[in-house]
C-alpha cells in the first residue's frame, strides 16, 4: 500500500543511484536547478483530501495517482483524486504498485485497467505507470524471482496493459532495483517511458539501456499548496505541449 511504498522509496532513494539524463527547474519548492521542465506530483491516500484547484494554481501540471496494488487493493482516494485532478486541468495518470510474487503480471495489469488505469485520448489522461521497487513485504528484495522470472513478469504485465488500452505503460523504478532484479534488462526502454526515482539535485545513472528519462521523482518531501504535509515532487522531461502529446499518443 501507499504507506509502505513511501517508506520503501525513502530507503531506496536516499543514496541509491537512479535514472535520468537532464535535470530540471525550480518550481514551488526548492528542487534541482537546470533546464526548464514541467512540474508534477504523485499522490495516494496518504496525502488525504487534496484541493486540486490550489494544486493547479501552484503550477503543478501533472500527477500520477495511486489506483491499485496487487490484485485486491484499490486506493480509497483514487476516484476522487482522478476526477478532481482532471477537472482542475491537471494532466493525470494512474499507477499500480506491483506485487510480482502474488499473481501473474497479466492478472495485475487487468486489475489496473479495470480499476482506473484505462486510457482515453482527452488531452489529460496519461498511460498508467507500473511501480516497480523493492519488496516491502516478505519474500525478498526482488520478490523471490530470478532475473529471468522478473523479466517475464514485467513483460507479461506490459503486454497485457497494451492489449487492454493500446498504450505502452510508464515504468517507475530506481536504477539499483532495476539493474539487480531484472539483470540490467534493456528491452522495455525502446517503447516504455522511464519514470525514475532519485531524491537528489541530479538524476544520476539511468537503468541499463535507458537512453533518457521521461519523468523524474526528485524528492519525497516536497510541498504544494492544496496538499497538507509532504508530497512526492516530479518533473516531466519536456514542456506541457509534449506532455499532452504523450497523453494523446500523438
Amino acid at each position: 500500500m501507499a504507506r509502505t511504498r513511501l517508506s520503501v522509496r525513502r530507503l531506496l532513494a536516499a543514496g541509491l543511484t537512479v535514472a535520468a539524463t537532464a535535470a530540471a527547474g525550480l518550481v514551488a519548492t526548492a528542487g534541482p536547478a537546470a533546464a526548464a521542465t514541467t512540474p508534477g506530483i504523485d499522490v495516494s491516500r496518504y496525502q488525504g483530501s487534496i484541493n486540486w484547484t490550489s494544486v493547479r494554481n501552484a503550477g503543478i501540471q501533472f500527477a500520477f495517482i495511486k489506483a491499485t496494488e496487487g490484485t485486491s487493493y484499490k486506493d480509497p482516494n483514487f476516484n476522487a483524486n482522478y476526477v478532481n485532478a482532471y477537472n482542475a486541468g491537471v494532466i493525470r495518470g494512474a499507477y499500480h504498485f506491483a506485487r510480482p510474487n502474488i499473481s501473474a503480471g497479466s492478472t495485475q495489469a487487468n486489475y489496473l485497467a479495470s480499476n482506473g488505469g484505462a486510457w482515453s485520448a482527452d488531452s489529460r489522461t496519461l498511460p498508467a505507470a507500473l511501480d516497480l521497487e523493492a519488496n516491502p513485504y516478505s519474500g525478498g528484495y526482488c520478490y523471490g524471482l530470478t532475473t529471468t522470472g522478473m523479466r517475464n513478469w514485467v513483460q507479461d504485465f506490459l503486454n497485457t496493459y497494451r492489449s487492454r488500452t493500446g498504450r505502452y505503460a510508464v515504468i517507475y523504478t530506481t536504477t539499483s532495483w532495476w539493474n539487480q532484479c531484472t539483470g540490467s534488462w534493456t528491452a522495455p526502454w525502446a517503447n516504455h517511458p522511464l519514470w525514475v526515482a532519485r531524491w537528489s539535485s541530479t538524476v544520476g545513472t539511468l537503468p541499463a539501456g535507458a537512453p533518457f528519462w521521461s519523468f523524474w521523482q526528485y524528492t519525497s518531501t516536497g510541498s504544494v499548496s492544496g496538499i497538507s504535509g509532504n508530497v512526492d515532487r516530479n518533473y516531466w522531461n519536456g514542456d506541457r505541449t509534449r506532455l499532452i502529446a504523450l497523453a494523446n499518443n500523438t
Side-chain angles (χ1 to χ4, degrees), residues 25-30 37-41 50-62 85 88-90 218 222-229 231-235 240:
L26 292 171
V27 198
T29 56
T37 53
T38 302
I41 57 175
I50 296 174
N51 184 325
W52 284 98
T53 298
S54 294
V55 168
R56 182 67 185 93
N57 289 342
I60 297 302
Q61 300 194 45
F62 72 90
V90 176
Y218 66 87
S223 62
V224 174
S225 178
I227 298 177
S228 299
V231 63
D232 295 341
R233 296 293 305 263
N234 298 268
Y235 288 109
R240 184 179 174 91

Side-chain angles (χ1 to χ4, degrees), residues 53-248:
T53 298
S54 294
V55 168
R56 182 67 185 93
N57 289 342
I60 297 302
Q61 300 194 45
F62 72 90
F64 279 105
I65 299 169
K66 183 169 186 178
T68 52
E69 176 174 330
T71 54
S72 60
Y73 178 82
K74 181 172 179 178
D75 189 290
N77 288 16
F78 173 77
N79 288 346
N81 281 332
Y82 209 58
V83 170
N84 293 339
Y86 179 95
N87 288 339
V90 176
I91 301 167
R92 83 293 202 249
Y95 77 81
H96 173 81
F97 186 90
R99 301 281 304 277
N101 58 343
I102 67 169
S103 61
S106 57
T107 302
Q108 294 190 33
N110 279 317
Y111 184 66
L112 168 64
S114 297
N115 288 278
W119 174 78
S120 58
D122 55 20
S123 298
R124 293 187 198 168
T125 303
L126 295 166
L130 173 61
D131 181 347
L132 290 163
E133 56 186 88
N135 182 10
Y137 308 107
S138 60
Y141 182 76
C142 298
Y143 298 85
L145 274 63
T146 64
T147 54
T148 298
M150 185 62 75
R151 291 183 187 189
N152 290 341
W153 190 95
V154 172
Q155 192 65 67
D156 191 29
F157 183 103
L158 299 176
N159 288 347
T160 302
Y161 184 78
R162 179 158 169 76
S163 177
R164 283 288 304 270
T165 67
R167 297 304 308 272
Y168 292 106
V170 176
I171 299 174
Y172 170 96
T173 194
T174 69
T175 294
S176 56
W177 187 91
W178 183 266
N179 288 349
Q180 177 175 336
C181 296
T182 73
S184 298
W185 189 30
T186 63
W189 310 129
N191 297 303
H192 296 274
L194 169 62
W195 176 13
V196 66
R198 184 171 190 255
W199 301 344
S200 179
S201 59
T202 60
V203 185
T205 304
L206 295 169
F212 54 85
W213 58 273
S214 294
F215 299 94
W216 171 21
Q217 183 191 76
Y218 66 87
T219 184
S220 66
T221 57
S223 62
V224 174
S225 178
I227 298 177
S228 299
N230 291 337
V231 63
D232 295 341
R233 296 293 305 263
N234 298 268
Y235 288 109
W236 157 251
N237 195 1
D239 62 19
R240 184 179 174 91
T241 299
R242 296 310 306 154
L243 187 59
I244 292 172
L246 174 65
N248 285 338

